[in-house]
Amino acid sequence: MTWIEVRAEEDGVSVAVEGRLSVPEFGRSVLDAAGALLTWPDIAGPGAVATGVPPGTALSDAREGAAASGAAPFGGPRADLLPDALVESAPEAQTWLWAVYGAGAARAVAACAGGRAHALRVAAEPGALARDLHRLATGHWASRWWPASHLDGVPALDADLLGLELAALSHRCQQVWDPDADPAADLVLEHRAGVRPLIDLWHARPGAVSDVLRSVRAVADDAGLDVDGLAGPDDPGGRGGSGPAGWATSFAGGAVPRRPGALPQDHALAAGGAAGPPPGARVMGRGTGTNDWCRYPPGFVDASEDAVTWTAFAHGSRRAVLVEAVAGEARPAPGVRPVAEVRVGATAPVRVRCERAGDAWTALVDTALPDTAAPSPDVQVVLPGFDPGPQDPARARRTREGLRALARRRLAAAGGATGPDGAGAGEGFGPAPFLAEIVAAHTEEDF
């Protein structure tokens, strides 16, 4: 049984799933609903690290292991299905509260908002809308924080393909949104470049792709959007798909050819591309820095725990640290570059702006290093203005491990599907694979 705590607050009424802990920002998902803000404080769910696929495990091996154990990829009904909420306008929120939490929770919110109670504890009775919202929240998390990594072998997701499926889901959840807002239309406009790949997938495996296409077309029609390729109720865009040859039929044969721009460019660190220690320098030590996802925008750096490395050296009286970070799939605007932050002991951190060298960010940081012991600097990569400051290291690392495990688990399940109609996906309240995940799991990983 999942219990909900409903409590009157100064700025509204809080609705919280009992006994649930929050994680750093990159492990949460937030949606703005009519009269409330919804937060899934731990998108990976409890026990994600323990039940996840170990790092370095091939996706095919992960699928076989899951099948042998009889485990469902996403499990059954769980407390993390439901969001926490801060209800700012109870009358507006009543249009959907009952469909997400159940009638008892809706009555409790009304009582606390009306001053008839201060705090109430009720049993959750999640409906179908709760499942759709959880899937939507998971998709929005993936669109922002998916841990794409060349080093870990986790492919990036096609942002436009995912965005259109989120538009379809937003359309299904329209009961939750403010009447003046249209998040589905906004997503279709932002990700219209994904229409042609979506149609190519529809030619290969209509199934669930047809539902997504119908919803995207309905969103476009309702909002008066003119989106190329959506005309024609029975044959969207016609049969002459413009995707790469073999894209539409490749699921039958296994791997999917990579669509240009869908995955990061090939990661081969250019030899000699980065600035290094000067000739004759003495290497004092090497190590791995902290790759804190909160401290730079998603995609700036490869999501692997080992993506940030350092080399300390001495050259005459000079002491310096060379910082190197494997770049992620994001392509920042010109002039937008992260900085390397190096802290030695209790001294103030020294920051130097990074340069792009091939597929790495690099910076040479002059700093004081002791000669009497092996150096052990605290090294991170951050983007000033975005950076909220250091996180609790142990807590943040546990969360990152859980999210990598979630990504591997989802890709393993997506790889077990025979196509984008979701065949082979797990049942229960856990979200089945998104089309972008299925494509990524079937794509030839030549990056």
Side-chain angles (χ1 to χ4, degrees):
M1 178 69 70
T2 299
W3 292 93
I4 303 295
E5 297 175 352
V6 181
R7 183 179 299 274
E9 310 283 358
E10 289 185 5
D11 50 353
V13 177
S14 64
V15 181
V17 176
E18 191 175 76
R20 186 163 64 182
L21 300 178
S22 182
V23 301
E25 179 188 357
F26 51 76
R28 307 177 207 155
S29 189
V30 179
L31 296 177
D32 195 2
L37 189 68
L38 306 181
T39 303
W40 286 258
D42 184 0
I43 204 70
V49 177
T51 60
V53 180
T57 302
L59 294 183
S60 58
D61 294 339
R63 285 180 223 125
E64 291 172 4
S69 67
F74 307 115
R78 305 174 312 197
D80 54 305
L81 166 73
L82 293 170
D84 292 343
L86 179 61
V87 179
E88 298 166 335
S89 173
E92 290 182 60
Q94 287 297 335
T95 60
W96 53 265
L97 275 169
W98 60 273
V100 175
Y101 297 101
R107 289 192 293 268
V109 169
C112 289
R116 300 189 301 277
H118 175 70
L120 294 169
R121 182 174 182 261
V122 297
E125 300 172 295
L129 183 58
R131 180 174 180 167
D132 288 339
L133 270 178
H134 182 227
R135 179 170 173 78
L136 181 62
T138 302
H140 275 291
W141 167 81
S143 72
R144 180 169 175 79
W145 295 110
W146 179 262
S149 170
H150 164 67
L151 297 178
D152 290 346
V154 177
L157 303 181
D158 186 314
D160 292 323
L161 197 58
L162 178 60
L164 290 180
E165 189 166 5
L166 296 184
L169 275 168
S170 297
H171 185 63
R172 289 179 60 178
C173 298
Q174 55 188 319
Q175 176 181 354
V176 174
W177 316 128
D178 188 291
D180 296 329
D182 194 350
D186 293 341
L187 284 165
V188 170
L189 273 176
E190 182 180 355
H191 299 288
R192 63 173 67 195
V195 168
R196 177 54 61 191
L198 187 63
I199 290 171
D200 289 338
L201 290 178
W202 176 79
H203 291 324
R205 299 276 180 175
V209 184
S210 295
D211 294 335
V212 174
L213 271 173
R214 278 193 293 268
S215 294
V216 170
R217 185 189 297 115
V219 171
D221 289 346
D222 291 347
L225 304 178
D226 182 14
V227 179
D228 292 341
L230 288 178
D234 299 320
D235 189 10
R239 289 281 176 182
S242 63
W247 175 270
T249 58
S250 54
F251 279 102
V256 176
R258 183 175 53 167
R259 184 169 70 89
L263 291 170
Q265 295 180 355
D266 292 355
H267 284 71
L269 295 183
R282 174 173 58 89
V283 174
M284 302 174 66
R286 291 187 174 91
T288 302
T290 300
N291 190 11
D292 190 338
W293 300 348
C294 272
R295 305 195 70 184
Y296 54 80
F300 265 50
V301 177
D302 186 288
S304 173
E305 201 68 21
D306 301 324
V308 179
T309 58
W310 58 266
T311 302
F313 69 88
H315 187 249
S317 61
R318 184 185 185 188
R319 303 291 183 269
V321 176
L322 173 65
V323 179
E324 298 177 281
V326 179
E329 75 277 6
R331 295 294 181 261
V336 178
R337 291 179 288 170
V339 303
E341 179 183 273
V342 176
R343 183 193 299 269
V344 178
T347 62
V350 179
R351 289 183 169 186
V352 171
R353 198 176 190 190
C354 293
E355 301 289 342
R356 187 67 178 259
D359 285 310
W361 296 106
T362 69
L364 199 55
V365 183
D366 286 290
T367 186
L369 293 170
D371 286 323
T372 56
S376 182
D378 178 10
V379 175
Q380 300 200 32
V381 172
V382 308
L383 183 69
F386 181 91
D387 171 31
Q391 309 292 306
D392 177 335
R395 177 170 172 259
R397 180 166 186 143
R398 284 195 303 270
T399 303
R400 291 193 297 269
E401 290 172 349
L403 295 174
R404 293 188 191 100
L406 174 67
R408 292 187 182 94
R409 195 164 65 245
R410 293 190 62 82
L411 287 171
T418 57
D421 53 2
E427 298 297 329
F429 281 106
F434 293 100
L435 299 178
E437 291 173 319
I438 295 173
V439 169
H442 286 82
T443 296
E444 294 174 350
E445 296 179 4
D446 61 347
F447 58 97

